[in-house]
Coordinates of all heavy atoms in Angstrom, one line a residue:
L776 N 4.0 9.8 -6.1 CA 3.3 8.8 -5.3 C 2.0 9.4 -4.7 O 2.0 10.6 -4.3 CB 4.2 8.3 -4.2 CG 5.5 7.7 -4.5 CD1 6.2 7.2 -3.3 CD2 5.4 6.6 -5.6
S777 N 1.0 8.5 -4.6 CA -0.3 8.9 -4.0 C -0.6 7.9 -2.8 O -0.2 6.8 -2.9 CB -1.4 8.9 -5.0 OG -1.2 9.8 -6.0
C778 N -1.3 8.4 -1.8 CA -1.7 7.6 -0.7 C -3.1 8.0 -0.4 O -3.4 9.1 0.1 CB -0.8 7.8 0.5 SG -1.4 6.9 2.0
A779 N -4.0 7.0 -0.7 CA -5.5 7.2 -0.5 C -5.8 6.7 0.9 O -5.5 5.5 1.2 CB -6.3 6.6 -1.5
A780 N -6.5 7.5 1.7 CA -6.9 7.1 3.1 C -8.4 6.9 3.2 O -9.1 7.7 2.6 CB -6.4 8.1 4.1
S781 N -8.8 5.9 3.9 CA -10.2 5.7 4.2 C -10.3 5.6 5.7 O -9.4 5.2 6.4 CB -10.7 4.4 3.5 OG -10.0 3.3 3.9
G782 N -11.5 5.9 6.1 CA -11.7 5.9 7.6 C -12.1 7.3 8.0 O -12.4 8.2 7.2
R783 N -12.1 7.5 9.3 CA -12.6 8.7 9.8 C -11.6 9.8 10.0 O -10.4 9.6 10.3 CB -13.3 8.4 11.2 CG -14.4 7.4 11.1 CD -14.9 7.0 12.5 NE -15.3 8.1 13.2 CZ -15.7 8.0 14.5 NH1 -15.7 6.9 15.1 NH2 -16.1 9.1 15.2
A784 N -12.0 11.1 9.8 CA -11.3 12.2 10.2 C -9.9 12.3 9.7 O -8.9 12.6 10.4 CB -11.2 12.3 11.8
F785 N -9.7 12.1 8.4 CA -8.4 12.2 7.7 C -7.7 13.5 8.1 O -6.5 13.5 8.3 CB -8.6 12.0 6.2 CG -7.3 12.2 5.5 CD1 -6.3 11.3 5.4 CD2 -7.1 13.4 4.7 CE1 -5.2 11.5 4.7 CE2 -5.9 13.6 4.0 CZ -5.0 12.6 4.0
S786 N -8.5 14.6 8.1 CA -7.9 15.9 8.3 C -7.3 16.1 9.7 O -6.6 17.1 10.0 CB -8.8 17.0 8.0 OG -10.0 16.9 8.9
S787 N -7.6 15.1 10.6 CA -7.0 15.2 12.0 C -5.7 14.4 12.1 O -5.1 14.3 13.2 CB -8.0 14.7 13.0 OG -8.2 13.3 12.9
Y788 N -5.2 13.8 11.0 CA -4.0 13.0 11.0 C -2.9 13.8 10.3 O -3.1 14.3 9.2 CB -4.2 11.7 10.3 CG -5.1 10.7 11.1 CD1 -6.4 10.8 11.1 CD2 -4.4 9.7 11.8 CE1 -7.2 9.9 11.8 CE2 -5.2 8.8 12.6 CZ -6.6 8.9 12.6 OH -7.3 8.0 13.3
A789 N -1.7 13.8 11.0 CA -0.5 14.1 10.2 C -0.1 12.9 9.3 O -0.4 11.8 9.7 CB 0.6 14.4 11.2
M790 N 0.5 13.2 8.2 CA 0.8 12.1 7.3 C 2.3 12.1 7.0 O 2.9 13.2 6.9 CB 0.0 12.3 6.0 CG -1.5 12.3 6.2 SD -2.1 10.7 6.8 CE -1.7 9.7 5.4
G791 N 2.8 11.0 6.8 CA 4.2 10.9 6.5 C 4.5 9.8 5.4 O 3.7 9.0 5.1
W792 N 5.7 10.0 4.8 CA 6.2 9.0 3.9 C 7.5 8.5 4.4 O 8.4 9.3 4.9 CB 6.5 9.6 2.5 CG 5.2 9.9 1.7 CD1 4.6 11.0 1.6 CD2 4.5 8.9 0.9 NE1 3.5 10.9 0.8 CE2 3.4 9.6 0.3 CE3 4.7 7.6 0.6 CZ2 2.5 9.0 -0.5 CZ3 3.8 7.0 -0.3 CH2 2.7 7.7 -0.8
F793 N 7.7 7.2 4.4 CA 8.9 6.5 4.8 C 9.4 5.6 3.7 O 8.6 5.3 2.8 CB 8.7 5.7 6.1 CG 8.4 6.5 7.3 CD1 7.2 7.2 7.5 CD2 9.3 6.7 8.3 CE1 6.9 7.9 8.6 CE2 9.1 7.4 9.4 CZ 7.9 8.1 9.6
R794 N 10.6 5.1 3.7 CA 11.1 4.2 2.7 C 12.0 3.2 3.4 O 12.6 3.4 4.4 CB 11.8 4.9 1.6 CG 13.1 5.6 2.0 CD 13.6 6.4 0.8 NE 14.9 7.1 1.1 CZ 15.5 8.0 0.3 NH1 14.9 8.3 -0.9 NH2 16.6 8.5 0.6
Q795 N 12.1 2.0 2.7 CA 13.0 1.0 3.2 C 13.7 0.3 2.0 O 13.0 -0.3 1.1 CB 12.2 -0.1 4.0 CG 13.1 -1.1 4.6 CD 12.4 -1.9 5.7 OE1 11.2 -2.0 5.7 NE2 13.2 -2.6 6.6
A796 N 15.0 0.4 1.9 CA 15.8 -0.2 0.9 C 16.2 -1.6 1.3 O 16.2 -1.9 2.5 CB 17.0 0.7 0.6
P797 N 16.5 -2.5 0.4 CA 16.9 -3.8 0.8 C 18.1 -3.8 1.7 O 19.1 -3.1 1.5 CB 17.3 -4.5 -0.6 CG 16.5 -3.7 -1.6 CD 16.4 -2.3 -1.1
G798 N 17.9 -4.6 2.8 CA 19.0 -4.7 3.8 C 19.2 -3.5 4.7 O 20.1 -3.5 5.5
K799 N 18.3 -2.5 4.6 CA 18.4 -1.3 5.4 C 17.1 -1.1 6.3 O 16.1 -1.7 6.0 CB 18.6 -0.1 4.6 CG 19.9 -0.1 3.8 CD 20.2 1.2 3.1 CE 21.5 1.3 2.4 NZ 21.8 2.6 1.8
E800 N 17.2 -0.3 7.3 CA 16.1 0.0 8.1 C 15.2 1.0 7.4 O 15.6 1.8 6.6 CB 16.6 0.5 9.5 CG 17.3 -0.5 10.3 CD 17.5 0.0 11.7 OE1 17.3 1.2 12.0 OE2 18.0 -0.8 12.6
R801 N 13.9 1.0 7.8 CA 13.0 2.0 7.3 C 13.4 3.3 7.8 O 13.8 3.5 9.0 CB 11.6 1.6 7.8 CG 10.5 2.5 7.2 CD 9.1 1.9 7.5 NE 8.9 1.8 8.9 CZ 7.9 1.1 9.4 NH1 7.0 0.5 8.6 NH2 7.7 1.0 10.7

């Protein structure tokens, strides 16, 4: 998976991946 970010100062952000299955919480 890839996640492209636009906007300012990407390098100052921590990044995460989350998931949500049907009927379940993220």
Side-chain angles (χ1 to χ4, degrees):
L776 305 183
S777 299
C778 173
S781 60
R783 298 172 58 184
F785 173 75
S786 60
S787 70
Y788 286 82
M790 300 297 295
W792 286 96
F793 292 74
R794 66 187 182 187
Q795 186 167 19
K799 295 187 176 181
E800 292 188 353
R801 187 167 58 191

